[in-house]
Each structure stands twice: as C-alpha cells, then as structure tokens.
Amino acid sequence: MRMIGVKGILVLVVTTFLWTITLAGGGQPKPDVDVTCVFMESCILPCSHEGGIKEDMLWMKANMLIVIEYNYTRTSKDLPVSQQYINRTSLFEDQISKGNASLLLTGVDVQDEGKYTCAIRIGYGYLHQKINLKVEAPVGEVDIEQVGNRIICSSERIYPEPEITWSTSPSSNVTFNTTVQKTDQQLYNISSSLVLSDSVSGLVYSCNVSTRTNWRNATFCPPPCRNKAADVSCSVVGVLLIVAAAAAAAAA
C-alpha cells in the first residue's frame, strides 16, 4: 500500500478547504435530488451541465470526504480519493466534455447513505448539485413456522429497520413479541412470535414485514385446517398479492 507523506496530506487538506470556500460562493444550486440505491449493487448519482464541462469537477460527501475528483489535465485515477471510496467510484469520462458529471458507485454499503455534492467549475465559480442518497436492502424471504405453541415469523438482512405486524382471519386480537438485531453490515434481522389461541381454532395467521418502501407477507394455518384446500389459501405471500393487484388493474 502506497504511503502518503505529510506534504501530500497538507495538499489534500488545503485543496478541500479551497473547494469548500468556492462551493459556498459558487453558482446557483439546483434542487436536491433523491436517489435510492440497493445494498451491494451499483448505483448512478446523476449530475450534469448543459453547457458541457471544460474544466474541473468534484464529488464530495457532506462530511467533506472526497469521493472522486476530475481535472481536465489528469484522469480521475490520479487524484486523491477517501479510503471509503477507493476502487468503488468512477466517472463517465468519455461523456464529461458533453456535460455528464454523473457518478457510478459500486458495491453500495449502508455507510454510503447521506448527502453528496457534485461541483462543476464554471469560469471563476462552481455550479453544484446535491444528491440525497438513501440505501435500501429490500425485504426478502419471510419465514413463518410453528414451534410448540408459538408461531414465529422472521426475515433477515433488511435496511432500513423493518417492522412486523400480525393479523388473523377471521379477525381476532393477538399479542406478539418482536426482536430486532443489527448485523455487522448495519442490516437488520427481525423476528416476532405469538402464542396460539386456545379458545379460538381455525384461525389463519398473517405476518407482514415492511420498510418505508417495500413489504412481504406470509401466512400460516395450524391444524386442524391443514388440508389441500387450506394449504393453497394459506400460502399467499406479499409478492403474489402485488402481482394479483397489478393484473386486476390491467384488466379494469
């Protein structure tokens, strides 16, 4: 690993400071743009200038981390990048002169979430665009099973923090306990359980795991309703419900 000397560190600090001052007094900012990126996938943060880009440009995170920098006399590979983004960011360099300053971020991580600034040098000032990046690890498989006199519903590796809700058919009051654990990658595992009712039989239990943007559902029907017909009606998941709704809308 190449070591950066004290002189290099000072140059980086001074450069960042100058960028900060210039950004504060630069061109009129564009409206913020919200972008949602999927965990561990690639994502494009958009930024452009209709007049083309003929000088320098820079991508920074809100805490002043340099994500990537472009200088028309050097390639972006020659310029300093914060450790978090090494080998994970790139520009569409063959399109920069045409005004495309978008950033390609690969292997999106939860720690990438936050506000980014794209700064394009225009004469003596900088035109800047702010991007609010949100990370999402969608709800995947939802497991539901009976263990003793309890029904347990669980799902893993979700972001942001999910929640679980229960319902029954026919409708009845249920009490459940939910636990949420955070993984080393800042994702969430969630599990919830309820005690089977002794007074009411034939209930179909439905568990819904959701975040701010997506959800999945699983249902469970304990004995004695376990028969071929009940298996079909009790195996519905959230994805199938979405497909059915879309088909109904198309037929309307």
Side-chain angles (χ1 to χ4, degrees), residues 5 50 81 94 96 122 124 143 151 155 167 173 200 210 218 244:
E50 292 182 359
V81 178
D94 60 333
I96 289 178
I122 307 295
Y124 293 101
D143 296 318
I151 298 178
S155 190
S167 61
N173 293 325
V200 182
S210 62

Short mmCIF file of all heavy atoms in Angstrom, two decimals, residues 5 50 81 94 96 122 124 143 151 155 167 173 200 210 218 244:
data_model
loop_
_atom_site.label_atom_id
_atom_site.label_comp_id
_atom_site.label_asym_id
_atom_site.label_seq_id
_atom_site.Cartn_x
_atom_site.Cartn_y
_atom_site.Cartn_z
N GLY A 5 2.78 11.02 2.16
CA GLY A 5 3.62 11.81 3.05
C GLY A 5 2.89 12.99 3.65
O GLY A 5 1.76 13.30 3.29
N GLU A 50 -25.57 21.51 -18.96
CA GLU A 50 -25.93 21.58 -20.37
C GLU A 50 -24.83 22.20 -21.23
O GLU A 50 -24.69 21.87 -22.40
CB GLU A 50 -27.23 22.38 -20.53
CG GLU A 50 -28.45 21.68 -19.95
CD GLU A 50 -29.72 22.48 -20.16
OE1 GLU A 50 -29.61 23.60 -20.75
OE2 GLU A 50 -30.80 22.02 -19.74
N VAL A 81 -8.57 10.20 -3.33
CA VAL A 81 -9.91 9.73 -3.01
C VAL A 81 -9.91 9.22 -1.58
O VAL A 81 -8.93 8.62 -1.13
CB VAL A 81 -10.34 8.58 -3.97
CG1 VAL A 81 -11.73 8.06 -3.60
CG2 VAL A 81 -10.32 9.05 -5.41
N ASP A 94 -15.65 9.67 -20.90
CA ASP A 94 -15.81 9.97 -22.33
C ASP A 94 -17.01 10.88 -22.59
O ASP A 94 -17.20 11.37 -23.71
CB ASP A 94 -15.96 8.67 -23.12
CG ASP A 94 -17.17 7.84 -22.67
OD1 ASP A 94 -17.56 7.97 -21.49
OD2 ASP A 94 -17.71 7.08 -23.49
N ILE A 96 -17.82 13.45 -20.16
CA ILE A 96 -17.69 14.65 -19.33
C ILE A 96 -17.71 15.92 -20.15
O ILE A 96 -18.38 16.90 -19.80
CB ILE A 96 -16.40 14.56 -18.47
CG1 ILE A 96 -16.58 13.48 -17.39
CG2 ILE A 96 -16.09 15.91 -17.82
CD1 ILE A 96 -15.36 13.28 -16.52
N ILE A 122 -17.31 26.43 -13.36
CA ILE A 122 -17.79 27.25 -14.47
C ILE A 122 -17.12 28.62 -14.35
O ILE A 122 -17.53 29.45 -13.53
CB ILE A 122 -19.33 27.42 -14.43
CG1 ILE A 122 -20.02 26.06 -14.35
CG2 ILE A 122 -19.81 28.19 -15.66
CD1 ILE A 122 -19.82 25.18 -15.55
N TYR A 124 -15.09 31.32 -12.92
CA TYR A 124 -14.49 31.58 -11.62
C TYR A 124 -15.32 31.01 -10.46
O TYR A 124 -14.97 31.19 -9.30
CB TYR A 124 -14.29 33.08 -11.41
CG TYR A 124 -13.26 33.68 -12.33
CD1 TYR A 124 -13.66 34.39 -13.46
CD2 TYR A 124 -11.90 33.51 -12.10
CE1 TYR A 124 -12.73 34.94 -14.32
CE2 TYR A 124 -10.96 34.05 -12.96
CZ TYR A 124 -11.37 34.77 -14.07
OH TYR A 124 -10.44 35.30 -14.92
N ASP A 143 -40.01 -16.01 6.64
CA ASP A 143 -40.23 -17.37 7.14
C ASP A 143 -41.27 -17.36 8.25
O ASP A 143 -41.22 -16.50 9.15
CB ASP A 143 -38.92 -17.96 7.68
CG ASP A 143 -37.87 -18.13 6.60
OD1 ASP A 143 -38.24 -18.56 5.50
OD2 ASP A 143 -36.69 -17.80 6.85
N ILE A 151 -46.20 -19.37 17.05
CA ILE A 151 -45.93 -19.14 15.63
C ILE A 151 -44.85 -18.07 15.55
O ILE A 151 -44.98 -17.01 16.16
CB ILE A 151 -47.19 -18.70 14.87
CG1 ILE A 151 -48.26 -19.78 14.94
CG2 ILE A 151 -46.85 -18.40 13.42
CD1 ILE A 151 -49.55 -19.39 14.26
N SER A 155 -37.43 -12.49 9.25
CA SER A 155 -36.80 -12.12 7.99
C SER A 155 -35.45 -11.48 8.30
O SER A 155 -35.27 -10.90 9.38
CB SER A 155 -37.69 -11.15 7.20
OG SER A 155 -37.19 -10.96 5.89
N SER A 167 -51.96 -10.20 11.71
CA SER A 167 -53.42 -10.16 11.60
C SER A 167 -53.91 -11.60 11.49
O SER A 167 -53.13 -12.52 11.21
CB SER A 167 -53.86 -9.35 10.38
OG SER A 167 -53.38 -9.92 9.19
N ASN A 173 -58.00 -10.54 18.28
CA ASN A 173 -56.92 -9.82 18.94
C ASN A 173 -55.74 -10.76 19.16
O ASN A 173 -55.91 -11.88 19.67
CB ASN A 173 -57.39 -9.25 20.28
CG ASN A 173 -58.43 -8.16 20.09
OD1 ASN A 173 -58.39 -7.39 19.13
ND2 ASN A 173 -59.39 -8.10 21.02
N VAL A 200 -59.79 -20.13 20.44
CA VAL A 200 -60.28 -19.99 19.07
C VAL A 200 -59.46 -20.88 18.14
O VAL A 200 -58.23 -20.81 18.14
CB VAL A 200 -60.18 -18.52 18.59
CG1 VAL A 200 -60.74 -18.39 17.17
CG2 VAL A 200 -60.91 -17.59 19.54
N SER A 210 -42.28 -5.08 6.78
CA SER A 210 -42.26 -3.92 5.89
C SER A 210 -41.19 -2.91 6.29
O SER A 210 -40.77 -2.82 7.44
CB SER A 210 -43.63 -3.24 5.89
OG SER A 210 -43.95 -2.76 7.18
N ALA A 218 -46.44 -13.35 4.72
CA ALA A 218 -46.55 -14.81 4.76
C ALA A 218 -47.69 -15.18 5.69
O ALA A 218 -47.97 -14.46 6.66
CB ALA A 218 -45.25 -15.46 5.21
N ALA A 244 -51.25 -10.02 -8.30
CA ALA A 244 -52.71 -10.11 -8.49
C ALA A 244 -53.31 -8.72 -8.62
O ALA A 244 -54.20 -8.49 -9.46
CB ALA A 244 -53.34 -10.86 -7.33
#
